[in-house]
Amino acid sequence: VAHLRPVKRLDRLIRACAALETGALGGQPVFLVMVGDGEQAAELRALAQSAAPPGGHVIFPGHLSDPAQAYSAFDVLALSSASEQQPVSVLEAMAAGLPIVSTDVGDVALTVPAECREDLVSIDQEEGAIVAGLAAGLTRVLADGTLRAELGQAGWRQVSERYSFRAMLEAYQAVFARAMQ
């Protein structure tokens, strides 16, 4: 779920999914769904046609004003960006109970639960290693339904505890209480 522009490095995600070992996934087809639109849409569609995941497809549903239904259909959220701050898509995916596989950019490591940090890929390495790291994280999460559920539940707990409306109100109340002392 992203604006299809160069900084999102969605080409990495297409290549990572193309590198997935379908044998490790029980031969299940891989569907990479890229929700969003932007100036790189045509380029990414062309790359997807030439490097589709083995046994699977890349789907471009376009922009969705409310991607909640899309999240409910996903098994994992993968973020392949070269730069971020605190990606809203990561928070939304965690709220939907999805595990996260991501490049280690911006505040992603601070946002995801400790259990998901194993699947963060450093961008301080050559491009092939980044793509391989994303593919390894995706394989690890997709191949194990129990692990996927545990990581999704940990993310849901984290977003509920730290980023919910209630958590925000409590944080503001604490700030105001300290200021009034």
Side-chain angles (χ1 to χ4, degrees), residues 45-131:
R45 281 187 179 95
L47 176 61
Q49 286 181 344
S50 67
H57 309 279
V58 182
I59 301 167
F60 292 89
H63 172 77
L64 300 177
S65 58
D66 180 10
Q69 286 185 334
Y71 286 115
S72 69
F74 296 162
D75 291 315
V76 61
L77 178 88
L79 185 123
S80 53
S81 296
S83 178
E84 289 284 349
Q85 291 304 308
Q86 184 177 47
V88 172
S89 62
V90 169
L91 294 169
E92 290 173 338
M94 288 169 42
L98 294 175
I100 309 298
V101 174
S102 175
T103 48
D104 190 1
V105 292
D107 288 338
V108 172
L110 299 172
T111 304
V112 300
E115 299 91 331
C116 288
R117 292 184 195 137
E118 180 177 334
D119 299 308
L120 299 183
V121 179
S122 171
I123 61 168
D124 295 332
Q125 54 187 329
E126 65 95 14
E127 191 61 25
I130 297 170
V131 170

